[in-house]
Amino acid sequence: MNRVLIAEDEERIASFVRKGLTANGFVTTVATDGDTALDHVLTGSFDLLLLDIGLPGRDGFTVLRAMREARVTVPVIVLTARDSVRDTVAGLEGGADDWMTKPFRFEELLARVRLRLRTAARAPEVTVLRSGDLSLDLRTRRARAGETLVDLTAREFTLLELFLRHPGQVLSREQILSHVWGYDFDPGSNIVDVYVRALRRKLGNGCVETLRGMGYRVPG
């Protein structure tokens, strides 16, 4: 079941799109500002992003640029009231996969969503993630640090996969909790620290860096 993030601050449009996609079997989440949209998409939990350009906070262009710089390859369909050639070119060159001008017919949006998901599904599947001398085989679920092969628990595997899909990017505790555990923990919980220490014991102290007050990252 495909998960679609709807980054749209107009409640009427967001509700219209969400209801239509849900009725067609998609799992949807709505983000009403650019910062929330970027936080969501960086978790790697979504299969497609519907992105409004005129978002409060970070605008759509900024969200798009930030996610592509972070190597997030999820397909993006821009939804906007802007119809100038300059804006369209800026969006497509900035990493958008498609562009729809408001108002639009839901049937056309649905067709484009399905097309983008099919296209993404045909892309070559990555089976090994790498950063420096650290690698993770997604098929065997084993990690390798240099010449050392390491077995991981299910949580350790998911955490390392998250880091290696975003090399060099700082991930906050909130982002990590949302992706690896799937729900909110007490902000005072040290569960992330515990699992990061476990990865360091198995893979070496330098495998995950701590940025105090910000989060963690695997060196890019």
Side-chain angles (χ1 to χ4, degrees):
M1 189 174 293
N2 293 117
R3 297 191 61 184
V4 177
L5 177 61
I6 304 165
E8 172 60 68
D9 65 318
E10 293 186 44
E11 184 178 352
R12 179 181 58 82
I13 296 176
S15 177
F16 164 69
V17 173
R18 183 174 197 170
K19 288 178 180 177
L21 290 177
T22 301
N24 281 274
F26 294 92
V27 177
T28 59
T29 298
V30 174
T32 57
D33 63 82
D35 295 304
T36 302
L38 183 58
D39 285 343
H40 279 318
V41 79
L42 290 180
T43 67
S45 301
F46 295 91
D47 302 298
L48 185 136
L49 171 61
L50 297 177
L51 180 63
D52 178 36
I53 292 299
L55 292 171
R58 299 172 189 256
D59 66 13
F61 287 126
T62 306
V63 171
L64 184 59
R65 182 168 60 252
M67 62 181 284
R68 293 313 190 209
E69 287 176 352
R71 306 180 194 176
V72 176
T73 59
V74 61
V76 176
I77 299 176
V78 169
L79 306 178
T80 181
R82 305 181 187 186
D83 60 358
S84 73
V85 173
R86 176 179 298 177
D87 283 334
T88 303
V89 170
L92 294 174
E93 290 188 346
D97 299 276
D98 207 343
W99 186 282
M100 291 192 69
T101 303
K102 301 174 185 175
F104 53 82
R105 292 175 60 85
F106 178 76
E107 292 80 4
E108 181 182 357
L109 174 63
L110 180 61
R112 295 195 186 201
V113 166
R114 287 172 169 163
L115 173 62
R116 293 302 160 193
L117 289 171
R118 285 197 303 272
T119 302
R122 288 197 296 268
E125 182 182 0
V126 175
T127 57
V128 179
L129 302 176
R130 304 179 190 278
S131 180
D133 66 353
L134 184 63
S135 65
L136 181 67
D137 192 315
L138 302 181
R139 297 164 299 181
T140 64
R141 302 178 75 84
R142 281 181 162 186
R144 185 182 293 274
E147 298 301 316
T148 304
L149 197 61
V150 179
D151 288 316
L152 302 173
T153 68
R155 293 282 193 210
E156 290 167 353
F157 172 85
T158 304
L159 178 58
L160 184 58
E161 180 185 5
L162 176 63
F163 282 131
L164 288 176
R165 288 192 183 277
H166 305 91
Q169 178 187 326
V170 180
L171 299 175
S172 69
R173 281 182 171 80
E174 291 75 17
Q175 288 175 311
I176 295 170
L177 285 170
S178 174
H179 182 83
V180 177
W181 282 268
Y183 55 93
D184 293 331
F185 269 75
D186 179 338
S189 170
N190 68 342
I191 190 70
V192 174
D193 309 76
V194 170
Y195 274 84
V196 167
R197 284 198 296 270
L199 287 180
R200 286 171 176 161
R201 282 197 303 271
K202 291 185 175 184
L203 301 170
N205 287 330
C207 70
V208 180
E209 298 176 343
T210 300
L211 285 87
R212 294 194 179 279
M214 299 175 64
Y216 299 96
R217 71 180 175 193
V218 164

